[in-house]
Amino acid sequence: MNHFPQEAAYPVTPASPQPVIGERYRLNAKLGSGGFGVVYLALDLKLHERPVVIKVMMRQPQDGYQDWRLKKFRQEAEALARLNHPGIVSVLDRGDLSDGRPYLVMEYVSGITLQDELARAPLALPRIGELVQQLGAALNAAHACGIAHRDLKPANVMLQNPDTEAEKAKLIDFGIAHVNESLWAGQSGAIVAGTRQYMAPEQLRGQAQDFVRCDIYALGVIAYEMLAGHAPFAGRSDIELFEQQKEVRLTWPPARTDLPPAVLPVLQQALAFDPAARYASAKDFGHELANLLRPAPRASWPTDKMPPPPVPVETQLLAAPPSPVAESVAEPVGGAMPLDSQFYIVRATDNEFSQALLRRDSIVLLKGARQMGKTSLLARGLQQTRSSGARVVLTDMQSFNAPQLASIDSFLRTLADDVAEQLELPDDPLQSWDERRGASRNFSRFLERQVLPSIATQLLWGLDEIDRLFSCAYGSEVFGLFRSWHNARSLNPQTPLHKLTLAIAYATEAHLFITDINQSPFNVGTRLALDDFSLPDVIELNRRYQHPLKSPAAVEQFFRLVAGQPYLVRLGLKTMAERHMDFAAFAARAAHEDGPYGDHLRRLLLMLMQDAPLCEAVRGLLQGQLQGHARLSLENFYRLRSAGVLVGESVQEVRPRCQLYADYLRLRLL
């Protein structure tokens, strides 16, 4: 049986009587209708009944606008197909019904709309800043592809994991998107499309030319509404609304006394009547507002001592009641852990990382499978360095969009611009960019002549999710550039590169993608590997979660189930603590899709199903038919180990990561 979250953008009603479309998608429930289409929740019959969302174009009334509606529906399909960003809903498939009406298959986004969340309770300031920053980054990615949304509003923003540390905002419904150079684009200026309350003044009058600035205006309206609890302008007619927009008089409710004074000018710029006076990019607006609303982080990472020695299980379980920091177990599990998290476990790698940064090593490599805590450890290293007075830059490779990764030149230009922005350098790094030198040489000159001379102390540059470069044709050239900086430090005592430390977090086996070891930074510098939690680590976390595991036997059984995988350990203990569940009840549902690990296990299965060789390799391993594991290639072994599915030092020693994975995958693959 499939279980879906009940929080949906629309009330669930019985689906259309047409059971299957495209010989693949079984309609399950009607989610709603609006614009030009009817939206259904459906099941993908070819992929283990995975939930998807299908938008089917409505039957067209003969009113003279049917061709325009068809064009706009197809335009949405084109817009979404061109976008690839975690903050934008993904298109999976498209087709036509037997009567010629087109349909669009999109990813199913669980959660609630921002509109529904705003109706529940006021949002905290840091959360508002984070959400606006996420939406700004997603819009920026769309705008970079020549696509503007044109109907941005809270109802078209989905919140996944709402009000948790792992909360993500996702844009949906590009139904009236404006696509530059679209096959379906035409003269439709006479038709004013959008939602009145969130339209820019020029869009309201049907005179918009720069739809990017219209989206920025709409994001400003949403930001104001999140802060104030109501829209900035409430004109009862288009003329009255237009006049209010022209004056841009923003006021706050009397109870909202916690806003920094600098917030109002930022909103006024986003809502400027003149499009040219608004922010140049949605990313800039989101970043500036988030900085004003974000509280200063608190560092709590010990850097001068190792974790205490392990204590016998019986002794720890019978220890004194939890310390005051463990009075709450509400901290969400997933994503980077807050710097002051009471549930962060210091491992041996933490001390090694700290010492490498204090030594100012040229390259520090943090390797670990998925969800091992690489980003959380990297964040603590950055904070340690920041607290010492040195400068810090963080590059998250997940934030780069497809055009920025299209070539080494576009990638390094974007990288240079991001570094300059984070360090607040006065000069534009691209002013001295000379294409005759090549991208790598241009970037090195920028680093050595503009960045490092402006810094009096150390520069720590954190590079997270660097695995994404492995799939780029020019990846080896970028890694060769990193290696050259390391070599320069050894060969030239006067080079400014002595100030630079690269901290690189990754999961994939680098040697699978970099064949020339002389071009690789992964075989030099300080190499650190993140391991699973040990049994003493799990005992300590059990104490911090207020002893949901009541006996040494329960602790050891839980440890065997999840094998110390950090995410699984924390989520399991949190679930048992919050639900007052004993281990027996927890273990009985652990490997089921409606159990505590359901979402995690489904993602694991989907990853395997999308790669037939990997799926067959795991199936063979579970069947015990890999005689000497000869059928598991070395490459697949490394890929599955990097993904956290398997463990073992060699192909001969390979085994499922934990009992939970083995139990679940047997149910699904055998």
Side-chain angles (χ1 to χ4, degrees):
M1 184 177 214
N2 289 282
H3 298 268
F4 304 108
Q6 292 304 304
E7 308 94 333
Y10 306 94
V12 175
T13 58
S16 161
Q18 184 177 359
V20 177
I21 64 175
E23 299 182 352
R24 177 171 182 172
Y25 306 104
R26 184 173 68 218
L27 300 182
N28 183 273
K30 180 180 176 181
L31 297 178
S33 60
F36 316 122
V38 183
V39 182
Y40 298 97
L41 179 66
L43 302 178
D44 186 345
L45 302 179
K46 291 187 179 181
L47 199 58
H48 294 272
E49 297 194 347
R50 176 184 62 171
V52 295
V53 170
I54 295 184
K55 187 172 185 179
V56 180
M57 187 171 184
M58 291 179 175
R59 288 185 173 85
Q60 297 303 294
Q62 301 300 311
D63 57 1
Y65 291 114
Q66 57 268 27
D67 290 341
W68 181 81
R69 294 189 188 95
L70 179 62
K71 177 188 69 177
K72 286 300 175 186
F73 192 96
R74 288 173 170 166
Q75 191 176 70
E76 176 180 15
E78 182 188 350
L80 289 174
R82 287 169 54 178
L83 296 178
N84 179 20
H85 189 274
I88 300 174
V89 66
S90 299
V91 63
L92 305 175
D93 195 6
R94 59 184 291 185
D96 294 309
L97 300 181
S98 57
D99 62 5
R101 286 182 294 147
Y103 66 86
L104 187 64
V105 182
M106 296 170 285
E107 77 173 294
Y108 172 68
V109 181
S110 62
I112 64 174
T113 66
L114 177 58
Q115 176 176 275
D116 291 338
E117 183 72 350
L118 289 174
R120 296 200 310 184
L123 275 58
L125 295 187
R127 184 184 179 195
I128 293 172
E130 176 64 27
L131 290 176
V132 174
Q133 186 169 33
Q134 290 184 25
L135 292 172
L139 282 174
N140 201 66
H143 296 161
C145 294
I147 298 168
H149 193 287
R150 295 208 303 172
D151 193 21
L152 187 62
K153 55 187 177 182
N156 284 339
V157 176
M158 290 296 297
L159 301 181
Q160 297 176 293
N161 305 307
D163 205 15
T164 71
E165 189 70 23
E167 183 174 46
K168 297 294 181 185
K170 202 148 194 166
L171 290 175
I172 61 173
D173 202 347
F174 277 68
I176 58 170
H178 176 81
V179 184
N180 293 339
E181 302 176 352
S182 169
L183 293 173
W184 308 101
Q187 297 299 323
S188 59
I191 303 173
V192 179
T195 301
R196 181 174 169 275
Q197 183 175 327
Y198 301 92
M199 286 185 185
E202 66 274 16
Q203 188 180 9
L204 186 67
R205 303 191 71 179
Q207 299 173 348
Q209 296 181 347
D210 186 346
F211 288 107
V212 168
R213 300 296 174 107
C214 291
D215 278 353
I216 293 170
Y217 185 95
L219 184 59
V221 174
I222 292 174
Y224 181 94
E225 186 174 357
M226 294 166 73
L227 289 164
H230 59 78
F233 312 116
R236 290 167 292 182
S237 66
D238 287 356
I239 295 176
E240 185 178 348
L241 178 61
F242 185 80
E243 291 302 318
Q244 292 176 353
Q245 291 173 328
K246 186 183 296 185
E247 295 181 9
V248 198
R249 293 181 180 176
L250 303 181
T251 58
W252 301 114
R256 187 105 243 191
T257 61
D258 55 347
L259 284 170
V263 167
L264 198 59
V266 169
L267 289 170
Q268 286 175 326
Q269 183 176 346
L271 298 172
F273 183 80
D274 180 2
R278 296 172 202 154
Y279 282 88
S281 76
K283 177 183 176 182
D284 290 344
F285 167 54
H287 180 72
E288 188 162 347
L289 185 64
N291 281 342
L292 291 173
L293 300 179
R294 184 180 295 124
R298 290 181 290 158
S300 64
W301 185 39
T303 61
D304 57 349
K305 57 185 178 181
M306 296 286 288
V311 179
V313 176
E314 293 81 2
T315 302
Q316 293 196 40
L317 287 171
L318 298 175
S323 59
V325 298
E327 291 177 357
S328 170
V329 297
E331 182 180 301
V333 178
M337 299 178 68
L339 291 174
D340 59 350
S341 171
Q342 60 191 353
F343 302 109
Y344 185 82
I345 292 292
V346 178
R347 289 171 275 182
T349 310
D350 292 59
N351 186 65
E352 295 169 357
F353 186 40
S354 172
Q355 294 303 313
L357 298 183
L358 291 174
R359 293 193 305 265
R360 301 188 177 185
D361 292 357
S362 62
I363 296 176
V364 186
L365 302 162
L366 290 176
K367 181 184 176 186
R370 288 188 67 255
Q371 297 181 313
M372 286 294 294
K374 298 185 296 296
T375 300
S376 297
L377 176 54
L378 180 62
R380 282 153 177 78
L382 297 177
Q383 181 61 21
Q384 170 194 331
T385 302
R386 192 181 290 115
S387 299
S388 72
R391 303 301 301 275
V392 166
V393 169
L394 173 61
T395 299
D396 182 356
M397 290 300 302
Q398 295 296 332
S399 67
F400 285 74
N401 59 38
Q404 292 167 340
L405 292 172
S407 69
I408 188 171
D409 190 73
S410 60
F411 170 69
L412 290 181
R413 283 174 180 266
T414 304
L415 202 58
D417 186 65
D418 185 57
V419 170
E421 180 178 343
Q422 291 190 50
L423 294 175
E424 301 179 335
L425 299 181
D427 298 325
D428 183 354
L430 302 183
Q431 287 181 349
S432 59
W433 206 272
D434 187 345
E435 295 192 6
R436 293 174 298 177
R437 298 192 189 103
S440 295
R441 184 59 189 147
N442 273 312
F443 192 91
S444 279
R445 285 169 61 89
F446 158 69
L447 187 66
E448 294 178 58
R449 299 190 181 191
Q450 290 180 247
V451 176
L452 295 174
S454 69
I455 295 174
T457 58
Q458 179 196 17
L459 172 63
L460 173 59
W461 186 1
L463 294 151
D464 200 14
E465 301 287 353
I466 201 69
D467 309 67
R468 198 170 179 201
L469 274 183
F470 290 144
S471 60
C472 297
Y474 55 84
S476 291
E477 187 174 347
V478 175
F479 292 131
L481 186 62
F482 296 165
R483 172 68 177 262
S484 72
W485 300 338
H486 169 81
N487 293 342
R489 281 183 50 151
S490 303
L491 299 173
N492 181 6
Q494 303 302 321
T495 179
L497 291 166
H498 279 285
K499 298 178 181 179
L500 176 66
T501 293
L502 295 180
I504 302 175
Y506 67 108
T508 310
E509 297 288 341
H511 69 267
L512 297 177
F513 301 92
I514 305 175
T515 56
D516 185 355
I517 60 173
N518 296 317
Q519 290 290 310
S520 175
F522 296 96
N523 54 7
V524 297
T526 303
R527 286 174 282 180
L528 306 175
L530 276 173
D531 295 321
D532 283 343
F533 288 158
S534 64
L535 180 58
D537 292 334
V538 175
I539 294 170
E540 171 59 16
L541 268 176
N542 185 51
R543 184 190 71 81
R544 298 186 192 183
Y545 277 101
Q546 303 179 14
H547 300 286
L549 299 170
K550 305 299 184 184
S551 69
V555 172
E556 292 171 353
Q557 290 169 353
F558 177 67
F559 186 75
R560 284 196 296 271
L561 178 69
V562 298
Q565 204 266 22
Y567 173 81
L568 299 179
V569 170
R570 289 189 61 220
L571 181 58
L573 291 173
K574 174 181 168 67
T575 300
M576 286 183 279
E578 286 184 330
R579 300 180 185 178
H580 304 289
M581 181 186 296
D582 63 23
F583 177 73
F586 176 86
R589 303 302 304 166
H592 292 254
E593 288 199 345
D594 61 347
Y597 296 124
D599 289 341
H600 175 84
L601 294 172
R602 282 191 293 271
R603 285 194 296 270
L604 180 71
L605 179 63
L606 180 60
M607 182 273 293
L608 291 174
M609 296 300 294
Q610 291 175 339
D611 193 312
L614 291 188
C615 190
E616 285 303 311
V618 173
R619 182 179 286 115
L621 178 64
L622 294 172
Q623 289 173 334
Q625 296 175 350
L626 297 177
Q627 298 177 359
H629 307 302
R631 286 172 50 194
L632 182 60
S633 69
L634 191 61
E635 178 178 347
N636 284 343
F637 162 70
Y638 283 128
R639 291 175 63 197
L640 288 165
R641 192 173 70 171
S642 297
V645 180
L646 304 180
V647 291
E649 294 301 316
S650 67
V651 173
Q652 289 69 35
E653 300 172 357
V654 70
R655 62 189 185 279
R657 174 72 174 276
C658 59
Q659 188 61 46
L660 174 70
Y661 287 0
D663 293 344
Y664 174 78
L665 293 175
R666 282 195 184 96
L667 289 172
R668 295 296 168 180
L669 297 181
L670 300 185

